[in-house]
């Protein structure tokens, strides 16, 4: 029986990091609500390998209002798993790969914002399977 333990992370790459400070942002009292936009793409490489592209974008356009910064982070990783496309293994392969990548995305976004001279923006820990349930 093939399972999640048969999945291997082959490589990991940072494809894009963007940070832009909004110097004209005026902070009023209260909490700043930031709504990140997540995307995930799955690309078949061959019968045993697949690539996961995971991204998060934070912008005034997405949030429909001014923010103190905008940022985008895109990462990619190659995974290997026999029979990953089989119906009973596909969700396991994709969701586990996404869960493995999410901490990398989270850390990179926090680092990019912190290096931009603002307090780091840290994504909450979340169930990534539920996050992408209705997106793909």
């Amino acid at each position: 029986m093939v399972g999640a333990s048969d999945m291997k992370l082959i490589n990991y790459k940072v494809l894009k990091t963007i940070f832009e400070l909004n110097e004209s942002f005026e902070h009023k009292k209260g909490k700043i609500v930031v709504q990140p936009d997540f995307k995930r793409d799955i690309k078949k490489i061959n019968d045993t390998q697949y690539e996961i592209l995971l991204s998060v974008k934070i912008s005034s356009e997405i949030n429909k209002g001014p923010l103190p910064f905008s940022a985008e982070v895109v990462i990619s990783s190659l995974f290997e798993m026999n029979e990953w496309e089989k119906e009973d293994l596909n969700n396991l392969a994709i969701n586990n790969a996404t869960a493995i990548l999410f901490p990398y995305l989270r850390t990179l976004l926090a680092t990019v914002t912190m290096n931009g001279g603002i307090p780091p923006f840290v994504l909450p820990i979340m169930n990534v399977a539920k996050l992408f349930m209705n997106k793909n």
Side-chain angles (χ1 to χ4, degrees), residues 19-23 68-71 109-121:
F19 175 83
E20 188 174 341
L21 187 63
N22 180 357
E23 294 188 81
F69 70 93
S70 61
L109 180 62
T111 302
V112 166
T113 53
M114 179 183 66
N115 287 337
I118 63 172
F121 182 81

Side-chain angles (χ1 to χ4, degrees), residues 8-91:
K8 293 181 183 107
L9 172 66
I10 305 300
N11 72 19
Y12 159 81
K13 300 184 256 187
V14 175
L15 301 178
K16 182 193 284 189
T17 57
I18 296 174
F19 175 83
E20 188 174 341
L21 187 63
N22 180 357
E23 294 188 81
S24 64
F25 179 78
E26 292 182 28
H27 182 31
K28 299 174 177 115
K29 285 194 174 196
K31 191 175 183 181
I32 300 170
V33 178
V34 177
Q35 185 62 46
D37 182 43
F38 297 96
K39 290 201 167 84
R40 173 179 70 182
D41 291 311
I42 297 101
K43 179 181 173 187
K44 177 180 178 175
I45 304 301
N46 57 44
D47 289 340
T48 62
Q49 293 183 337
Y50 58 103
E51 180 183 54
I52 301 280
L53 188 78
L54 192 60
S55 68
V56 60
K57 186 173 185 176
I58 297 168
S59 71
S60 295
E61 295 81 31
I62 293 167
N63 284 262
K64 297 180 176 54
L67 292 175
F69 70 93
S70 61
E72 183 176 10
V73 173
V74 182
I75 60 175
S76 166
S77 193
L78 181 66
F79 287 89
E80 185 173 85
M81 181 175 169
N82 290 328
E83 303 177 341
W84 72 274
E85 288 186 289
K86 285 180 104 176
E87 188 175 336
D88 59 333
L89 295 176
N90 191 259
N91 279 340

